[in-house]
Amino acid sequence: QVQLVESGGGLVQAGGSLRLSCAASARTFSNYAMGWFRQAPGKERELVVAISSGFTNTYYADYVKGRFTISRDNAKNTVYLQMNSLKPEDTAVYYCAARTWGLGLAVRSDQYNYWGQGTQVTVSS
């Protein structure tokens, strides 16, 4: 069983920045593919960024490319999402996800078997 706990969400003005954190309970954290997803009211959950097991490859959705950056600290079993130049359309609940099997990137939500509880990000105009 893997527990994922997100933190760092909040209210920020357009153009501002936030850093989300996702702390994982597993010791084999570095073997997991990780992803950040988001879901806005009335919309489907969508991928923000994925990082492969071993953290060698990343995939950014076009709508965040150049603005968001994923990173990790294996010593802390934590993945971070640095969000810069935030826009009102970035407003959503952001979820961290882990895939504990397989290799490579996972870009679909159904490829992940563990999810955090989500953290709200609200960007005001």
Side-chain angles (χ1 to χ4, degrees), residues 60-112:
Y60 289 89
D62 287 344
Y63 36 82
V64 304
K65 202 173 292 184
R67 300 187 297 123
F68 291 12
T69 304
I70 191 169
S71 62
R72 90 296 192 242
D73 184 336
N74 282 344
K76 296 183 178 180
N77 284 358
T78 300
V79 171
Y80 303 99
L81 181 64
Q82 179 66 43
M83 306 186 295
N84 298 329
S85 303
L86 283 161
K87 305 175 182 180
E89 51 264 43
D90 294 318
T91 295
V93 177
Y94 283 71
Y95 297 90
C96 173
R99 187 187 71 178
T100 60
W101 54 272
L103 300 173
L105 287 168
V107 297
R108 300 195 319 267
S109 60
D110 62 1
Q111 292 177 301
Y112 290 87

mmCIF file of all heavy atoms in Angstrom, residues 60-112:
data_model
loop_
_atom_site.group_PDB
_atom_site.id
_atom_site.type_symbol
_atom_site.label_atom_id
_atom_site.label_comp_id
_atom_site.label_asym_id
_atom_site.label_seq_id
_atom_site.Cartn_x
_atom_site.Cartn_y
_atom_site.Cartn_z
ATOM 1 N N TYR A 60 5.325 16.650 -20.444
ATOM 2 C CA TYR A 60 4.516 17.781 -20.012
ATOM 3 C C TYR A 60 3.369 17.991 -20.994
ATOM 4 O O TYR A 60 3.576 17.975 -22.213
ATOM 5 C CB TYR A 60 5.348 19.060 -19.955
ATOM 6 C CG TYR A 60 6.360 19.101 -18.841
ATOM 7 C CD1 TYR A 60 7.649 18.598 -19.018
ATOM 8 C CD2 TYR A 60 6.033 19.648 -17.597
ATOM 9 C CE1 TYR A 60 8.581 18.628 -17.994
ATOM 10 C CE2 TYR A 60 6.959 19.696 -16.566
ATOM 11 C CZ TYR A 60 8.224 19.181 -16.776
ATOM 12 O OH TYR A 60 9.138 19.224 -15.757
ATOM 13 N N ALA A 61 2.184 18.224 -20.470
ATOM 14 C CA ALA A 61 1.074 18.611 -21.331
ATOM 15 C C ALA A 61 1.380 19.962 -21.956
ATOM 16 O O ALA A 61 2.047 20.813 -21.340
ATOM 17 C CB ALA A 61 -0.215 18.684 -20.525
ATOM 18 N N ASP A 62 0.899 20.176 -23.160
ATOM 19 C CA ASP A 62 1.206 21.411 -23.882
ATOM 20 C C ASP A 62 0.789 22.648 -23.102
ATOM 21 O O ASP A 62 1.457 23.690 -23.166
ATOM 22 C CB ASP A 62 0.509 21.408 -25.252
ATOM 23 C CG ASP A 62 1.174 20.453 -26.237
ATOM 24 O OD1 ASP A 62 2.323 20.039 -25.986
ATOM 25 O OD2 ASP A 62 0.534 20.118 -27.253
ATOM 26 N N TYR A 63 -0.309 22.548 -22.363
ATOM 27 C CA TYR A 63 -0.836 23.734 -21.704
ATOM 28 C C TYR A 63 -0.030 24.153 -20.484
ATOM 29 O O TYR A 63 -0.303 25.206 -19.894
ATOM 30 C CB TYR A 63 -2.311 23.549 -21.336
ATOM 31 C CG TYR A 63 -2.690 22.160 -20.910
ATOM 32 C CD1 TYR A 63 -2.474 21.715 -19.620
ATOM 33 C CD2 TYR A 63 -3.283 21.288 -21.819
ATOM 34 C CE1 TYR A 63 -2.824 20.433 -19.245
ATOM 35 C CE2 TYR A 63 -3.631 19.998 -21.456
ATOM 36 C CZ TYR A 63 -3.397 19.574 -20.166
ATOM 37 O OH TYR A 63 -3.740 18.301 -19.806
ATOM 38 N N VAL A 64 0.956 23.367 -20.066
ATOM 39 C CA VAL A 64 1.806 23.758 -18.949
ATOM 40 C C VAL A 64 3.283 23.808 -19.336
ATOM 41 O O VAL A 64 4.128 24.233 -18.535
ATOM 42 C CB VAL A 64 1.646 22.834 -17.730
ATOM 43 C CG1 VAL A 64 0.187 22.782 -17.284
ATOM 44 C CG2 VAL A 64 2.190 21.443 -18.010
ATOM 45 N N LYS A 65 3.588 23.392 -20.551
ATOM 46 C CA LYS A 65 4.982 23.318 -20.977
ATOM 47 C C LYS A 65 5.627 24.705 -20.901
ATOM 48 O O LYS A 65 5.053 25.698 -21.357
ATOM 49 C CB LYS A 65 5.043 22.769 -22.402
ATOM 50 C CG LYS A 65 6.353 22.150 -22.792
ATOM 51 C CD LYS A 65 6.246 21.484 -24.146
ATOM 52 C CE LYS A 65 5.356 20.262 -24.124
ATOM 53 N NZ LYS A 65 5.317 19.561 -25.431
ATOM 54 N N GLY A 66 6.793 24.759 -20.304
ATOM 55 C CA GLY A 66 7.497 26.017 -20.160
ATOM 56 C C GLY A 66 7.124 26.796 -18.910
ATOM 57 O O GLY A 66 7.783 27.778 -18.574
ATOM 58 N N ARG A 67 6.055 26.364 -18.246
ATOM 59 C CA ARG A 67 5.623 27.064 -17.035
ATOM 60 C C ARG A 67 5.744 26.186 -15.788
ATOM 61 O O ARG A 67 6.030 26.697 -14.693
ATOM 62 C CB ARG A 67 4.169 27.528 -17.171
ATOM 63 C CG ARG A 67 3.925 28.475 -18.323
ATOM 64 C CD ARG A 67 2.495 29.033 -18.294
ATOM 65 N NE ARG A 67 1.487 27.995 -18.457
ATOM 66 C CZ ARG A 67 0.510 27.778 -17.579
ATOM 67 N NH1 ARG A 67 0.424 28.499 -16.472
ATOM 68 N NH2 ARG A 67 -0.388 26.824 -17.808
ATOM 69 N N PHE A 68 5.515 24.904 -15.938
ATOM 70 C CA PHE A 68 5.554 23.972 -14.807
ATOM 71 C C PHE A 68 6.790 23.087 -14.914
ATOM 72 O O PHE A 68 7.222 22.734 -16.015
ATOM 73 C CB PHE A 68 4.316 23.073 -14.819
ATOM 74 C CG PHE A 68 3.011 23.769 -14.497
ATOM 75 C CD1 PHE A 68 2.899 25.154 -14.460
ATOM 76 C CD2 PHE A 68 1.874 23.018 -14.226
ATOM 77 C CE1 PHE A 68 1.706 25.777 -14.164
ATOM 78 C CE2 PHE A 68 0.660 23.617 -13.930
ATOM 79 C CZ PHE A 68 0.582 25.004 -13.905
ATOM 80 N N THR A 69 7.310 22.701 -13.753
ATOM 81 C CA THR A 69 8.477 21.823 -13.721
ATOM 82 C C THR A 69 8.304 20.782 -12.632
ATOM 83 O O THR A 69 7.982 21.127 -11.491
ATOM 84 C CB THR A 69 9.765 22.619 -13.447
ATOM 85 O OG1 THR A 69 9.914 23.649 -14.426
ATOM 86 C CG2 THR A 69 10.983 21.698 -13.494
ATOM 87 N N ILE A 70 8.538 19.528 -12.995
ATOM 88 C CA ILE A 70 8.486 18.443 -12.017
ATOM 89 C C ILE A 70 9.898 18.119 -11.558
ATOM 90 O O ILE A 70 10.847 18.176 -12.340
ATOM 91 C CB ILE A 70 7.785 17.195 -12.591
ATOM 92 C CG1 ILE A 70 7.491 16.183 -11.498
ATOM 93 C CG2 ILE A 70 8.610 16.574 -13.721
ATOM 94 C CD1 ILE A 70 6.575 15.041 -11.936
ATOM 95 N N SER A 71 10.032 17.811 -10.279
ATOM 96 C CA SER A 71 11.324 17.396 -9.740
ATOM 97 C C SER A 71 11.073 16.435 -8.604
ATOM 98 O O SER A 71 9.931 16.237 -8.187
ATOM 99 C CB SER A 71 12.138 18.605 -9.261
ATOM 100 O OG SER A 71 11.464 19.266 -8.207
ATOM 101 N N ARG A 72 12.130 15.813 -8.112
ATOM 102 C CA ARG A 72 11.942 14.867 -7.005
ATOM 103 C C ARG A 72 13.134 14.890 -6.065
ATOM 104 O O ARG A 72 14.248 15.259 -6.436
ATOM 105 C CB ARG A 72 11.672 13.459 -7.524
ATOM 106 C CG ARG A 72 12.842 12.516 -7.770
ATOM 107 C CD ARG A 72 13.767 12.879 -8.769
ATOM 108 N NE ARG A 72 14.717 11.889 -9.181
ATOM 109 C CZ ARG A 72 16.000 12.031 -9.044
ATOM 110 N NH1 ARG A 72 16.478 13.078 -8.426
ATOM 111 N NH2 ARG A 72 16.827 11.129 -9.523
ATOM 112 N N ASP A 73 12.878 14.476 -4.841
ATOM 113 C CA ASP A 73 13.914 14.318 -3.825
ATOM 114 C C ASP A 73 13.768 12.897 -3.294
ATOM 115 O O ASP A 73 12.882 12.621 -2.484
ATOM 116 C CB ASP A 73 13.719 15.357 -2.712
ATOM 117 C CG ASP A 73 14.836 15.303 -1.687
ATOM 118 O OD1 ASP A 73 15.486 14.245 -1.555
ATOM 119 O OD2 ASP A 73 15.047 16.310 -1.003
ATOM 120 N N ASN A 74 14.614 11.995 -3.768
ATOM 121 C CA ASN A 74 14.487 10.591 -3.366
ATOM 122 C C ASN A 74 14.709 10.405 -1.871
ATOM 123 O O ASN A 74 14.118 9.527 -1.254
ATOM 124 C CB ASN A 74 15.480 9.730 -4.138
ATOM 125 C CG ASN A 74 15.008 9.463 -5.554
ATOM 126 O OD1 ASN A 74 13.845 9.661 -5.880
ATOM 127 N ND2 ASN A 74 15.924 9.036 -6.400
ATOM 128 N N ALA A 75 15.552 11.222 -1.290
ATOM 129 C CA ALA A 75 15.826 11.088 0.143
ATOM 130 C C ALA A 75 14.576 11.373 0.963
ATOM 131 O O ALA A 75 14.419 10.849 2.071
ATOM 132 C CB ALA A 75 16.955 12.015 0.553
ATOM 133 N N LYS A 76 13.701 12.201 0.422
ATOM 134 C CA LYS A 76 12.471 12.559 1.122
ATOM 135 C C LYS A 76 11.241 11.860 0.543
ATOM 136 O O LYS A 76 10.125 12.120 0.982
ATOM 137 C CB LYS A 76 12.263 14.077 1.069
ATOM 138 C CG LYS A 76 13.326 14.868 1.796
ATOM 139 C CD LYS A 76 13.024 16.366 1.761
ATOM 140 C CE LYS A 76 14.067 17.154 2.528
ATOM 141 N NZ LYS A 76 13.787 18.612 2.506
ATOM 142 N N ASN A 77 11.459 10.990 -0.449
ATOM 143 C CA ASN A 77 10.330 10.314 -1.114
ATOM 144 C C ASN A 77 9.273 11.314 -1.553
ATOM 145 O O ASN A 77 8.066 11.098 -1.362
ATOM 146 C CB ASN A 77 9.689 9.269 -0.193
ATOM 147 C CG ASN A 77 10.525 8.016 -0.079
ATOM 148 O OD1 ASN A 77 11.560 7.895 -0.716
ATOM 149 N ND2 ASN A 77 10.077 7.089 0.733
ATOM 150 N N THR A 78 9.714 12.387 -2.154
ATOM 151 C CA THR A 78 8.810 13.487 -2.487
ATOM 152 C C THR A 78 9.006 13.927 -3.930
ATOM 153 O O THR A 78 10.141 14.014 -4.414
ATOM 154 C CB THR A 78 9.036 14.678 -1.540
ATOM 155 O OG1 THR A 78 8.789 14.252 -0.196
ATOM 156 C CG2 THR A 78 8.097 15.830 -1.867
ATOM 157 N N VAL A 79 7.869 14.187 -4.582
ATOM 158 C CA VAL A 79 7.861 14.773 -5.915
ATOM 159 C C VAL A 79 7.285 16.178 -5.802
ATOM 160 O O VAL A 79 6.328 16.399 -5.052
ATOM 161 C CB VAL A 79 7.009 13.930 -6.881
ATOM 162 C CG1 VAL A 79 6.807 14.648 -8.205
ATOM 163 C CG2 VAL A 79 7.657 12.587 -7.141
ATOM 164 N N TYR A 80 7.869 17.101 -6.534
ATOM 165 C CA TYR A 80 7.426 18.489 -6.494
ATOM 166 C C TYR A 80 6.898 18.911 -7.862
ATOM 167 O O TYR A 80 7.341 18.418 -8.893
ATOM 168 C CB TYR A 80 8.581 19.411 -6.105
ATOM 169 C CG TYR A 80 9.214 19.063 -4.780
ATOM 170 C CD1 TYR A 80 10.389 18.323 -4.715
ATOM 171 C CD2 TYR A 80 8.634 19.488 -3.582
ATOM 172 C CE1 TYR A 80 10.967 18.001 -3.506
ATOM 173 C CE2 TYR A 80 9.206 19.171 -2.368
ATOM 174 C CZ TYR A 80 10.373 18.431 -2.332
ATOM 175 O OH TYR A 80 10.937 18.113 -1.127
ATOM 176 N N LEU A 81 5.973 19.847 -7.829
ATOM 177 C CA LEU A 81 5.505 20.480 -9.054
ATOM 178 C C LEU A 81 5.615 21.982 -8.866
ATOM 179 O O LEU A 81 4.852 22.573 -8.097
ATOM 180 C CB LEU A 81 4.067 20.092 -9.369
ATOM 181 C CG LEU A 81 3.497 20.688 -10.660
ATOM 182 C CD1 LEU A 81 4.253 20.161 -11.874
ATOM 183 C CD2 LEU A 81 2.002 20.389 -10.797
ATOM 184 N N GLN A 82 6.603 22.563 -9.506
ATOM 185 C CA GLN A 82 6.780 24.019 -9.475
ATOM 186 C C GLN A 82 5.931 24.619 -10.573
ATOM 187 O O GLN A 82 6.101 24.279 -11.751
ATOM 188 C CB GLN A 82 8.247 24.380 -9.681
ATOM 189 C CG GLN A 82 8.520 25.872 -9.688
ATOM 190 C CD GLN A 82 8.263 26.529 -8.350
ATOM 191 O OE1 GLN A 82 8.624 26.000 -7.306
ATOM 192 N NE2 GLN A 82 7.609 27.691 -8.376
ATOM 193 N N MET A 83 5.038 25.509 -10.188
ATOM 194 C CA MET A 83 4.109 26.118 -11.141
ATOM 195 C C MET A 83 4.363 27.615 -11.185
ATOM 196 O O MET A 83 4.170 28.304 -10.186
ATOM 197 C CB MET A 83 2.663 25.820 -10.743
ATOM 198 C CG MET A 83 2.375 24.336 -10.562
ATOM 199 S SD MET A 83 0.634 23.990 -10.259
ATOM 200 C CE MET A 83 0.412 24.814 -8.679
ATOM 201 N N ASN A 84 4.804 28.092 -12.329
ATOM 202 C CA ASN A 84 5.076 29.514 -12.532
ATOM 203 C C ASN A 84 4.127 30.092 -13.571
ATOM 204 O O ASN A 84 3.498 29.354 -14.327
ATOM 205 C CB ASN A 84 6.522 29.702 -12.984
ATOM 206 C CG ASN A 84 7.537 29.222 -11.967
ATOM 207 O OD1 ASN A 84 7.302 29.270 -10.767
ATOM 208 N ND2 ASN A 84 8.671 28.742 -12.453
ATOM 209 N N SER A 85 4.056 31.389 -13.598
ATOM 210 C CA SER A 85 3.206 32.089 -14.577
ATOM 211 C C SER A 85 1.795 31.505 -14.602
ATOM 212 O O SER A 85 1.232 31.210 -15.663
ATOM 213 C CB SER A 85 3.831 32.005 -15.986
ATOM 214 O OG SER A 85 5.137 32.545 -15.988
ATOM 215 N N LEU A 86 1.238 31.355 -13.438
ATOM 216 C CA LEU A 86 -0.073 30.725 -13.328
ATOM 217 C C LEU A 86 -1.161 31.568 -13.989
ATOM 218 O O LEU A 86 -1.114 32.802 -13.971
ATOM 219 C CB LEU A 86 -0.412 30.459 -11.871
ATOM 220 C CG LEU A 86 0.315 29.242 -11.272
ATOM 221 C CD1 LEU A 86 0.310 29.303 -9.752
ATOM 222 C CD2 LEU A 86 -0.328 27.959 -11.757
ATOM 223 N N LYS A 87 -2.126 30.855 -14.552
ATOM 224 C CA LYS A 87 -3.247 31.475 -15.248
ATOM 225 C C LYS A 87 -4.552 31.053 -14.571
ATOM 226 O O LYS A 87 -4.606 29.978 -13.958
ATOM 227 C CB LYS A 87 -3.266 31.020 -16.709
ATOM 228 C CG LYS A 87 -1.987 31.254 -17.469
ATOM 229 C CD LYS A 87 -2.069 30.658 -18.866
ATOM 230 C CE LYS A 87 -0.774 30.849 -19.635
ATOM 231 N NZ LYS A 87 -0.860 30.251 -21.001
ATOM 232 N N PRO A 88 -5.595 31.846 -14.717
ATOM 233 C CA PRO A 88 -6.886 31.433 -14.129
ATOM 234 C C PRO A 88 -7.336 30.055 -14.597
ATOM 235 O O PRO A 88 -7.953 29.314 -13.826
ATOM 236 C CB PRO A 88 -7.838 32.530 -14.612
ATOM 237 C CG PRO A 88 -6.964 33.743 -14.747
ATOM 238 C CD PRO A 88 -5.658 33.209 -15.267
ATOM 239 N N GLU A 89 -7.003 29.698 -15.822
ATOM 240 C CA GLU A 89 -7.407 28.375 -16.325
ATOM 241 C C GLU A 89 -6.631 27.220 -15.704
ATOM 242 O O GLU A 89 -6.946 26.057 -15.941
ATOM 243 C CB GLU A 89 -7.292 28.311 -17.851
ATOM 244 C CG GLU A 89 -5.955 28.768 -18.412
ATOM 245 C CD GLU A 89 -5.977 30.224 -18.856
ATOM 246 O OE1 GLU A 89 -6.536 31.095 -18.129
ATOM 247 O OE2 GLU A 89 -5.402 30.502 -19.938
ATOM 248 N N ASP A 90 -5.632 27.533 -14.894
ATOM 249 C CA ASP A 90 -4.923 26.495 -14.142
ATOM 250 C C ASP A 90 -5.668 26.123 -12.866
ATOM 251 O O ASP A 90 -5.271 25.178 -12.165
ATOM 252 C CB ASP A 90 -3.509 26.951 -13.780
ATOM 253 C CG ASP A 90 -2.617 27.123 -14.997
ATOM 254 O OD1 ASP A 90 -2.669 26.280 -15.905
ATOM 255 O OD2 ASP A 90 -1.851 28.125 -15.020
ATOM 256 N N THR A 91 -6.729 26.852 -12.559
ATOM 257 C CA THR A 91 -7.508 26.566 -11.357
ATOM 258 C C THR A 91 -8.107 25.165 -11.432
ATOM 259 O O THR A 91 -8.790 24.813 -12.392
ATOM 260 C CB THR A 91 -8.630 27.606 -11.198
ATOM 261 O OG1 THR A 91 -8.046 28.886 -10.971
ATOM 262 C CG2 THR A 91 -9.535 27.244 -10.030
ATOM 263 N N ALA A 92 -7.812 24.356 -10.412
ATOM 264 C CA ALA A 92 -8.270 22.965 -10.388
ATOM 265 C C ALA A 92 -7.826 22.324 -9.082
ATOM 266 O O ALA A 92 -7.029 22.905 -8.338
ATOM 267 C CB ALA A 92 -7.677 22.183 -11.562
ATOM 268 N N VAL A 93 -8.329 21.125 -8.848
ATOM 269 C CA VAL A 93 -7.759 20.278 -7.805
ATOM 270 C C VAL A 93 -6.636 19.473 -8.459
ATOM 271 O O VAL A 93 -6.834 18.845 -9.501
ATOM 272 C CB VAL A 93 -8.806 19.329 -7.194
ATOM 273 C CG1 VAL A 93 -8.154 18.414 -6.165
ATOM 274 C CG2 VAL A 93 -9.937 20.140 -6.559
ATOM 275 N N TYR A 94 -5.477 19.531 -7.849
ATOM 276 C CA TYR A 94 -4.306 18.843 -8.390
ATOM 277 C C TYR A 94 -4.063 17.560 -7.602
ATOM 278 O O TYR A 94 -4.053 17.576 -6.362
ATOM 279 C CB TYR A 94 -3.082 19.751 -8.323
ATOM 280 C CG TYR A 94 -3.084 20.791 -9.413
ATOM 281 C CD1 TYR A 94 -3.994 21.854 -9.380
ATOM 282 C CD2 TYR A 94 -2.210 20.710 -10.496
ATOM 283 C CE1 TYR A 94 -4.023 22.804 -10.397
ATOM 284 C CE2 TYR A 94 -2.227 21.655 -11.512
ATOM 285 C CZ TYR A 94 -3.140 22.687 -11.458
ATOM 286 O OH TYR A 94 -3.166 23.631 -12.460
ATOM 287 N N TYR A 95 -3.863 16.474 -8.352
ATOM 288 C CA TYR A 95 -3.666 15.162 -7.752
ATOM 289 C C TYR A 95 -2.302 14.597 -8.132
ATOM 290 O O TYR A 95 -1.879 14.684 -9.280
ATOM 291 C CB TYR A 95 -4.733 14.180 -8.246
ATOM 292 C CG TYR A 95 -6.139 14.534 -7.866
ATOM 293 C CD1 TYR A 95 -6.930 15.327 -8.698
ATOM 294 C CD2 TYR A 95 -6.696 14.082 -6.680
ATOM 295 C CE1 TYR A 95 -8.231 15.647 -8.365
ATOM 296 C CE2 TYR A 95 -8.001 14.396 -6.330
ATOM 297 C CZ TYR A 95 -8.761 15.181 -7.177
ATOM 298 O OH TYR A 95 -10.044 15.508 -6.834
ATOM 299 N N CYS A 96 -1.686 13.979 -7.167
ATOM 300 C CA CYS A 96 -0.465 13.227 -7.385
ATOM 301 C C CYS A 96 -0.848 11.761 -7.554
ATOM 302 O O CYS A 96 -1.761 11.280 -6.871
ATOM 303 C CB CYS A 96 0.446 13.411 -6.174
ATOM 304 S SG CYS A 96 1.912 12.416 -6.148
ATOM 305 N N ALA A 97 -0.149 11.061 -8.445
ATOM 306 C CA ALA A 97 -0.453 9.655 -8.684
ATOM 307 C C ALA A 97 0.829 8.856 -8.834
ATOM 308 O O ALA A 97 1.844 9.395 -9.293
ATOM 309 C CB ALA A 97 -1.313 9.504 -9.934
ATOM 310 N N ALA A 98 0.757 7.589 -8.471
ATOM 311 C CA ALA A 98 1.910 6.697 -8.572
ATOM 312 C C ALA A 98 1.515 5.410 -9.284
ATOM 313 O O ALA A 98 0.426 4.880 -9.075
ATOM 314 C CB ALA A 98 2.455 6.366 -7.183
ATOM 315 N N ARG A 99 2.419 4.941 -10.142
ATOM 316 C CA ARG A 99 2.258 3.636 -10.757
ATOM 317 C C ARG A 99 3.380 2.760 -10.245
ATOM 318 O O ARG A 99 4.560 3.073 -10.477
ATOM 319 C CB ARG A 99 2.308 3.718 -12.281
ATOM 320 C CG ARG A 99 1.979 2.388 -12.943
ATOM 321 C CD ARG A 99 2.196 2.448 -14.433
ATOM 322 N NE ARG A 99 3.608 2.500 -14.783
ATOM 323 C CZ ARG A 99 4.060 2.525 -16.027
ATOM 324 N NH1 ARG A 99 3.189 2.535 -17.042
ATOM 325 N NH2 ARG A 99 5.351 2.569 -16.272
ATOM 326 N N THR A 100 3.041 1.710 -9.556
ATOM 327 C CA THR A 100 4.043 0.893 -8.878
ATOM 328 C C THR A 100 4.474 -0.320 -9.689
ATOM 329 O O THR A 100 5.209 -1.158 -9.185
ATOM 330 C CB THR A 100 3.513 0.422 -7.512
ATOM 331 O OG1 THR A 100 2.330 -0.344 -7.726
ATOM 332 C CG2 THR A 100 3.201 1.602 -6.615
ATOM 333 N N TRP A 101 4.033 -0.411 -10.935
ATOM 334 C CA TRP A 101 4.396 -1.538 -11.795
ATOM 335 C C TRP A 101 4.874 -1.010 -13.134
ATOM 336 O O TRP A 101 4.607 0.132 -13.515
ATOM 337 C CB TRP A 101 3.183 -2.448 -12.003
ATOM 338 C CG TRP A 101 1.990 -1.720 -12.523
ATOM 339 C CD1 TRP A 101 1.031 -1.092 -11.793
ATOM 340 C CD2 TRP A 101 1.645 -1.485 -13.894
ATOM 341 N NE1 TRP A 101 0.109 -0.485 -12.616
ATOM 342 C CE2 TRP A 101 0.448 -0.711 -13.909
ATOM 343 C CE3 TRP A 101 2.217 -1.851 -15.098
ATOM 344 C CZ2 TRP A 101 -0.179 -0.325 -15.090
ATOM 345 C CZ3 TRP A 101 1.590 -1.461 -16.284
ATOM 346 C CH2 TRP A 101 0.414 -0.706 -16.268
ATOM 347 N N GLY A 102 5.626 -1.818 -13.845
ATOM 348 C CA GLY A 102 6.022 -1.473 -15.201
ATOM 349 C C GLY A 102 7.142 -0.455 -15.269
ATOM 350 O O GLY A 102 7.659 0.019 -14.260
ATOM 351 N N LEU A 103 7.510 -0.145 -16.506
ATOM 352 C CA LEU A 103 8.596 0.786 -16.778
ATOM 353 C C LEU A 103 8.088 1.931 -17.638
ATOM 354 O O LEU A 103 7.046 1.838 -18.275
ATOM 355 C CB LEU A 103 9.745 0.063 -17.494
ATOM 356 C CG LEU A 103 10.391 -1.101 -16.751
ATOM 357 C CD1 LEU A 103 11.376 -1.806 -17.660
ATOM 358 C CD2 LEU A 103 11.082 -0.609 -15.491
ATOM 359 N N GLY A 104 8.869 2.995 -17.654
ATOM 360 C CA GLY A 104 8.566 4.090 -18.565
ATOM 361 C C GLY A 104 7.537 5.056 -18.025
ATOM 362 O O GLY A 104 7.176 5.046 -16.849
ATOM 363 N N LEU A 105 7.071 5.925 -18.920
ATOM 364 C CA LEU A 105 6.094 6.948 -18.565
ATOM 365 C C LEU A 105 4.680 6.374 -18.537
ATOM 366 O O LEU A 105 4.370 5.424 -19.247
ATOM 367 C CB LEU A 105 6.128 8.075 -19.594
ATOM 368 C CG LEU A 105 7.327 9.024 -19.579
ATOM 369 C CD1 LEU A 105 7.332 9.879 -20.844
ATOM 370 C CD2 LEU A 105 7.299 9.901 -18.352
ATOM 371 N N ALA A 106 3.851 7.006 -17.751
ATOM 372 C CA ALA A 106 2.422 6.687 -17.727
ATOM 373 C C ALA A 106 1.680 8.002 -17.941
ATOM 374 O O ALA A 106 1.817 8.919 -17.133
ATOM 375 C CB ALA A 106 2.027 6.050 -16.411
ATOM 376 N N VAL A 107 0.937 8.091 -19.045
ATOM 377 C CA VAL A 107 0.293 9.355 -19.376
ATOM 378 C C VAL A 107 -1.228 9.303 -19.262
ATOM 379 O O VAL A 107 -1.894 10.320 -19.436
ATOM 380 C CB VAL A 107 0.699 9.835 -20.793
ATOM 381 C CG1 VAL A 107 2.187 10.113 -20.846
ATOM 382 C CG2 VAL A 107 0.287 8.805 -21.840
ATOM 383 N N ARG A 108 -1.774 8.144 -18.982
ATOM 384 C CA ARG A 108 -3.219 8.006 -18.805
ATOM 385 C C ARG A 108 -3.520 7.763 -17.328
ATOM 386 O O ARG A 108 -2.791 7.048 -16.636
ATOM 387 C CB ARG A 108 -3.779 6.850 -19.634
ATOM 388 C CG ARG A 108 -3.572 6.959 -21.120
ATOM 389 C CD ARG A 108 -4.481 5.975 -21.847
ATOM 390 N NE ARG A 108 -4.549 4.693 -21.163
ATOM 391 C CZ ARG A 108 -3.764 3.665 -21.447
ATOM 392 N NH1 ARG A 108 -2.850 3.784 -22.389
ATOM 393 N NH2 ARG A 108 -3.903 2.521 -20.805
ATOM 394 N N SER A 109 -4.639 8.299 -16.877
ATOM 395 C CA SER A 109 -4.987 8.144 -15.464
ATOM 396 C C SER A 109 -5.217 6.689 -15.090
ATOM 397 O O SER A 109 -4.925 6.281 -13.961
ATOM 398 C CB SER A 109 -6.226 8.985 -15.131
ATOM 399 O OG SER A 109 -7.338 8.589 -15.910
ATOM 400 N N ASP A 110 -5.705 5.877 -16.046
ATOM 401 C CA ASP A 110 -5.983 4.474 -15.716
ATOM 402 C C ASP A 110 -4.707 3.639 -15.600
ATOM 403 O O ASP A 110 -4.773 2.447 -15.266
ATOM 404 C CB ASP A 110 -6.957 3.855 -16.713
ATOM 405 C CG ASP A 110 -6.424 3.826 -18.135
ATOM 406 O OD1 ASP A 110 -5.284 4.278 -18.362
ATOM 407 O OD2 ASP A 110 -7.154 3.355 -19.029
ATOM 408 N N GLN A 111 -3.576 4.228 -15.862
ATOM 409 C CA GLN A 111 -2.304 3.522 -15.703
ATOM 410 C C GLN A 111 -1.754 3.644 -14.275
ATOM 411 O O GLN A 111 -0.777 2.993 -13.945
ATOM 412 C CB GLN A 111 -1.267 4.075 -16.685
ATOM 413 C CG GLN A 111 -1.590 3.769 -18.145
ATOM 414 C CD GLN A 111 -0.592 4.396 -19.087
ATOM 415 O OE1 GLN A 111 -0.404 5.622 -19.100
ATOM 416 N NE2 GLN A 111 0.051 3.580 -19.892
ATOM 417 N N TYR A 112 -2.358 4.484 -13.482
ATOM 418 C CA TYR A 112 -1.879 4.710 -12.122
ATOM 419 C C TYR A 112 -2.727 3.935 -11.122
ATOM 420 O O TYR A 112 -3.946 3.856 -11.261
ATOM 421 C CB TYR A 112 -1.921 6.206 -11.788
ATOM 422 C CG TYR A 112 -0.890 6.991 -12.551
ATOM 423 C CD1 TYR A 112 -1.153 7.485 -13.819
ATOM 424 C CD2 TYR A 112 0.375 7.235 -12.006
ATOM 425 C CE1 TYR A 112 -0.194 8.197 -14.530
ATOM 426 C CE2 TYR A 112 1.327 7.949 -12.699
ATOM 427 C CZ TYR A 112 1.039 8.420 -13.962
ATOM 428 O OH TYR A 112 1.995 9.118 -14.658
#
